[in-house]
Amino acid sequence: MRTRAAAVAAALTLLAVAGCSGDSSRRPVSGPSAGAATAGPGTAADTSCDPRASRRPSGALPKPGAMPAGSHMRAIQDRGRLIIGTSQDTLLFSSRNPFTGKIEGFDVDMGRQIAEAIFGNPDKIQIRVIGYDERVEAVDAENPVDIVADTMTATCSRWKDVDFSSIYYEAGQKVLVSSTSDARSLDDLAGRSVCAAEGSTSFDTIAAARSKPIAVARPGFGACLVAFQRNEVDAISTDDTILAGLAAQDPYAKVVGLPLTQEPYGLAISNKHPEFTRFVNAVLEKNRANGTWKRTYERWLGDVGPAAPRPPVARYRD
Ligand code: GLU
């Protein structure tokens, strides 16, 4: 029987390991043999900006607890906690630990590191669970979050409404199918139902795929997994990071194919606070350089991804 770590590893490899017996009750997904990746309208296709380029840090970081007067960092310091918008069902990135009741993962640690830079204490956070389709509006809502840390791809269309930090993780969209399926990509899922979260970039990629799968929206990927296990959908397609967490929860599922898209993750921040985006980027710079990013990677993805990867290199637009 595969361990959780091994299951996750399978999901993050280019060719998934189908090491478990099939689920005969699940409808088979038929289709042609391995096909090339189907290009979708993901980030790579949108060339109207460089979605990876964020605001350049300005000068040295202020000391924790001494945020500059008038800045959004100071408003957070005075409030006493950083408000993070995220999911609660994205295993490895932000999911509730059933033993502690706390939401934890790579994304939550990104937020904790910002809190540490503001307060000198990473625990000074408040997590607000939001839907994927709320991520853009959450930073400018009536009761806004300070950052969204939620496997969120920096795209040119989202940059019109929010700022993104520099990129802290490079993901790519893949497909999860039944372990008995022959499908290797969206190309093999013509006419089949493929689930993605409402408001996700993956939904758009499925809906625009040349092979014409049927894009099915659910409020989140936890709901997609339930739909998959009830045979309501034939497949799920989303970032390899998210699929790794889903595959770890279902021994009758496997992740297949090459990445269909590039999904560079950034922290979303209101564009009303450009000084806060610069501050966050300075924190990310520091944590790339001092090994914090690597430790965070090893903590959450070390058993499953490539060994000792380098953090994404920051790019700036001004
Ligand atoms: N990274 C994606 C996004 O920001 C979330 C996952 C997905 O698209 O499936 O929309």
Side-chain angles (χ1 to χ4, degrees), residues 132 135 150-154 158 173 196-197 199-203 221 237-239 242 263 265:
Y132 269 116
R135 291 175 298 174
D150 197 12
T151 60
M152 186 167 182
T153 303
R158 289 173 176 165
Q173 182 176 350
S200 67
T201 50
S202 300
F203 183 87
F221 286 102
S237 184
T238 179
D239 303 346
I242 299 170
E263 306 288 338
Y265 291 169

Side-chain angles (χ1 to χ4, degrees), residues 124-146:
K124 292 209 167 195
I125 58 169
Q126 175 188 341
I127 291 189
R128 189 172 303 155
V129 174
I130 56 173
Y132 269 116
D133 59 343
E134 296 173 312
R135 291 175 298 174
V136 169
E137 67 203 48
V139 298
D140 285 312
E142 203 177 314
N143 192 4
V145 302
D146 297 308

